[in-house]
Amino acid sequence: MTTTRVRRCVARALTMTVAACAVAAATALPASAADQPTRQQLMADCGSGEGKCTFNSPKLEEAYLGELRQVSDSLYNCSSSDSTQTMTWDDTVGSTDSLGVSVTAGGKIAGIVDLSITASYSHSWSSTHSESSSLNMTVKPGEVGWISRAQVMQRVSGTWQTHYDSPKWGHYFWFFQDTITGPAKNGTDGKTNAVVVKSRKMTAAEKRSCSDGSRTGRTFVQAG
């Protein structure tokens, strides 16, 4: 074999070796971010039942009193004297996860969390709390009054484990941390629900509305 032919054979062999190494390197690269599931996708699979999910190692934080929120209609006093009226109120407080996604009552997600907390703390957990009642409210002339309520809340953190019968996104199992915030039983950790009457001065526009038709010298109720 001539020297020129030998050089050509060596060059061809080197080219094939480099190409083979490039293919091997490409197959060895880790999956890109696009191949990874989002937390929303994993939670959706937990909710639908496609993924067999558990909420592991739940840890309950100390309860705290949530923010006051208006739970009744507003009472406007367009008269010249104090006005006292019985106002009804109702409030429903739900749960959300660390992404702000609602954890609905009676759904698979809520049931999984309840099962985990019950097993670890020997008491049940509820993803929602509803309450209603009525209260006498006195509003001074030129003011607006309403009823607000604050619910005792509690956070629980843990690790979601999602198991698939067949690999999904390349794996049978996926894990992610989560914190769920929801209503706690009244009196938990010494914290108590609060229901209060709030009021403020009418705005200029609201005062002008007092002279509209039947509102003159009277009180009226307006939703929320």
Side-chain angles (χ1 to χ4, degrees):
M1 182 180 293
T2 65
T3 301
T4 302
R5 292 182 63 189
V6 169
R7 288 175 177 171
R8 288 176 179 172
C9 287
V10 171
R12 187 180 298 113
L14 286 173
T15 301
M16 293 176 65
T17 300
V18 171
C21 289
V23 171
T27 57
L29 287 174
S32 66
D35 298 325
Q36 306 295 313
T38 64
R39 281 181 48 184
Q40 291 92 331
Q41 289 173 313
L42 292 173
M43 286 291 279
D45 285 352
C46 288
S48 68
E50 181 179 349
K52 297 177 175 64
C53 299
T54 55
F55 188 67
N56 302 328
S57 304
K59 181 180 179 181
L60 283 170
E61 299 180 12
E62 184 175 354
Y64 65 95
L65 188 62
E67 295 182 358
L68 284 169
R69 298 173 299 106
Q70 183 171 346
V71 293
S72 74
D73 292 338
S74 297
L75 178 63
Y76 291 78
N77 187 358
C78 296
S79 71
S80 58
S81 59
D82 290 357
S83 176
T84 299
Q85 189 167 321
T86 300
M87 300 288 289
T88 60
W89 60 266
D90 61 85
D91 188 25
T92 297
V93 181
S95 299
T96 56
D97 71 3
S98 51
L99 291 179
V101 178
S102 175
V103 179
T104 55
K108 288 184 179 295
I109 300 298
I112 294 169
V113 177
D114 181 30
L115 183 66
S116 178
I117 293 177
T118 300
S120 298
Y121 291 90
S122 300
H123 68 75
S124 61
W125 174 85
S126 176
S127 63
T128 60
H129 175 79
S130 296
E131 195 171 324
S132 61
S133 187
S134 59
L135 190 67
N136 286 335
M137 182 169 61
T138 299
V139 179
K140 293 185 176 299
E143 293 191 356
V144 185
W146 66 91
I147 299 170
S148 287
R149 180 177 182 274
Q151 169 71 38
V152 175
M153 306 291 288
Q154 195 167 25
R155 297 185 181 93
V156 55
S157 58
T159 302
W160 284 102
Q161 174 182 311
T162 307
H163 171 221
Y164 295 100
D165 292 332
S166 300
K168 192 168 184 180
W169 295 290
H171 295 278
Y172 284 97
F173 293 91
W174 287 94
F175 303 85
F176 65 92
Q177 300 292 319
D178 196 12
T179 299
I180 295 174
T181 303
K185 184 178 179 181
N186 191 32
T188 301
D189 296 332
K191 305 301 189 299
T192 305
N193 297 333
V195 178
V196 297
V197 172
K198 306 281 286 183
S199 64
R200 62 169 175 80
K201 297 288 186 181
M202 288 187 192
T203 64
E206 289 169 340
K207 287 181 179 179
R208 287 194 297 271
S209 72
C210 284
S211 60
D212 294 342
S214 61
R215 293 180 178 177
T216 304
R218 303 172 64 88
T219 60
F220 67 92
V221 174
Q222 187 167 301

